[in-house]
Amino acid sequence: MTSIKTPEQAVSLDEYIESRRPSITADNLRELGRHLKAFERKAEQAAAEMRSDLLRGIRLMVDLFGSQELADLRDPLPDDVAELGVAAHYLLKGFDLIPDSLADIGLADDEWIVVRVMERNPGLRQRTWTQRG
C-alpha cells in the first residue's frame, strides 16, 4: 500500500535538490556523461516545445559531460556542479512527475528543476568547460 504525503510532508524543489546533492559524486557525473544521446533527445524535445531555459540547461550539462574538467573532477564536488548533476539525473530517470509524452506539459517538471538549479547557482550560466580535444 502506498502512503500519501500530507501537505506538511511534501518536499519543496529546493529540499529535493538539497537532499540529493550529497549523493552526486564525480563518478556519477562521469556515468551520466555516457548518456549523451538521451540528453540530445531531451534537448530536441525542449527545442520543439520552445523551452529555452530547459534547452540552455541541457546544453550546459552536455558541455560539462564533454569537458576535460569532468575527467578531472574529484569528490566532494562543488555545490553548483553537484546540483547540476541532480538536475541531469532527474532528466534521465525513468519515472517523471509529469510524463514527457504529454504534449505541451510533459517537460514542465524537467524544466522546473533545471531552472531552479540555475537560479540557485547563477554562476553556472557563465561557467565554461574546456572541451576534450
Side-chain angles (χ1 to χ4, degrees), residues 4-129:
I4 297 175
K5 289 190 179 261
T6 66
E8 296 82 27
Q9 295 171 312
V11 175
S12 74
L13 197 49
D14 284 332
E15 289 170 325
Y16 175 84
I17 293 166
E18 290 167 12
S19 71
R20 284 167 175 67
R21 182 180 61 215
S23 67
I24 301 296
T25 66
D27 284 341
N28 293 144
L29 288 179
R30 286 188 274 277
E31 178 60 32
L32 286 168
R34 294 186 183 110
H35 301 279
L36 286 178
K37 292 285 187 208
F39 285 103
E40 290 169 6
R41 284 191 300 275
K42 190 74 81 159
E44 288 169 6
Q45 273 184 288
E49 292 187 19
M50 296 185 293
R51 294 186 177 273
S52 59
D53 290 334
L54 176 57
L55 183 58
R56 202 171 5 261
I58 294 170
R59 286 183 177 151
L60 185 63
M61 292 172 199
V62 169
D63 285 349
L64 169 61
F65 297 144
S67 74
Q68 181 58 46
E69 285 86 353
L70 180 67
D72 298 338
L73 277 176
R74 299 290 175 256
D75 297 320
L77 296 174
D79 286 348
D80 62 341
V81 174
E83 289 190 9
L84 190 61
V86 169
H89 185 266
Y90 185 87
L91 293 180
L92 291 188
K93 69 183 187 59
F95 172 78
D96 253 353
L97 186 60
I98 303 171
D100 291 349
S101 60
L102 293 176
D104 298 324
I105 64 166
L107 293 179
D109 58 324
D110 298 336
E111 187 169 41
W112 293 333
I113 194 163
V114 168
V115 167
R116 188 63 193 133
V117 164
M118 302 301 272
E119 288 171 349
R120 289 169 55 91
N121 301 282
L124 283 173
R125 292 186 189 274
Q126 289 80 39
R127 193 144 184 185
T128 58
W129 285 280

